[in-house]
Amino acid sequence: MPLHVPPAPAPALRSVLAALGSPTAVNEAHTPALRALQGPMTAELALPVHVLDRLNISGLTAGGRPPRTRLTGWRFLIRSGDRYVAAADTRLTPDGWAFSHFFEGPYVAATERALRQAESLAKSYQPRLLSVPELYMLTLWLHGSVGADASAGLPAAADLLVPLAPAPPGIAAYRPHPVSELLPVMTHRLKPSAAPPVPPSMAAPAA
């Protein structure tokens, strides 16, 4: 079913478009692919980026509390012709949404792939990105409440998390996991002394 992509804040989009139109911003970016491009570029597939850090994840499973997330920005994929070549992040400042930086790398293609896979699911979702910095992990968060405010809301047990590649060892990229299933794995991995076996349903398939 189609994804219900939330509208990005207009100032965030304007700031990215202004950066794309600025030779200085493009040339200073650590994105060789972006600097080498000629011709028009567009900012598409804007997704809110939420963060789940150690403070908010530790002990959640035992306590039964819903995990808390915080919105840190909006991410736009940058298209040139028929492909996405980079991404642009924005951040909230005292003066409103502002361009932060361009970047390229595996998460650009991984995000596009995960979104395309999600469109084939039987249920409609609101797509977001959920980052777990301590695990160097980024997931596509498929939120079941399609009309929710994209800047708010907590991961529900039935929401899906799709780890993007590269995913942490032992967790399969692009495999949708309910929050109730993946959250305990992340919780254990964040404990200093923990190195529990990954349940079979989480393990990456053998090569």
Side-chain angles (χ1 to χ4, degrees):
M1 297 185 72
L3 297 176
H4 292 254
V5 181
L13 176 58
R14 287 197 297 267
S15 73
V16 171
L17 295 178
L20 283 175
S22 167
T24 300
V26 172
N27 290 331
E28 289 182 351
H30 299 290
T31 51
L34 194 63
R35 295 198 303 269
L37 289 174
Q38 295 182 355
M41 294 176 285
T42 57
E44 303 176 3
L45 295 179
L47 296 174
V49 181
H50 294 253
V51 169
L52 182 63
D53 55 30
R54 181 185 296 270
L55 178 65
N56 288 322
I57 194 174
S58 297
L60 292 179
T61 304
R65 294 179 289 111
R68 290 187 174 275
T69 67
R70 52 190 173 88
L71 179 72
T72 59
W74 281 79
R75 178 168 298 173
F76 298 76
L77 296 189
I78 305 303
R79 178 190 285 274
S80 174
D82 61 353
R83 63 192 182 99
Y84 293 104
V85 296
D89 274 357
T90 62
R91 59 188 176 86
L92 190 60
T93 72
D95 296 322
W97 288 100
F99 170 75
S100 175
H101 62 279
F102 292 115
F103 69 93
E104 59 185 50
Y107 282 140
V108 175
T111 300
E112 179 186 8
R113 174 176 169 177
L115 286 168
R116 293 190 185 281
Q117 287 183 190
E119 289 176 344
S120 66
L121 296 175
K123 181 180 175 181
S124 294
Y125 292 96
Q126 182 193 87
R128 306 173 173 191
L129 291 173
L130 182 64
S131 172
V132 188
E134 286 84 355
L135 296 180
Y136 300 97
M137 184 178 183
L138 182 65
T139 73
L140 177 64
W141 169 12
L142 299 175
H143 192 40
S145 180
V146 297
D149 180 351
S151 66
L154 304 176
D159 285 357
L160 298 181
L161 296 179
V162 184
L164 303 185
I171 295 179
Y174 307 117
R175 182 178 296 175
H177 302 288
V179 167
S180 60
E181 183 179 292
L182 187 56
L183 184 63
V185 175
M186 295 191 294
T187 302
H188 283 300
R189 290 192 174 208
L190 284 173
K191 293 179 180 177
S193 61
V198 177
S201 61
M202 297 291 172

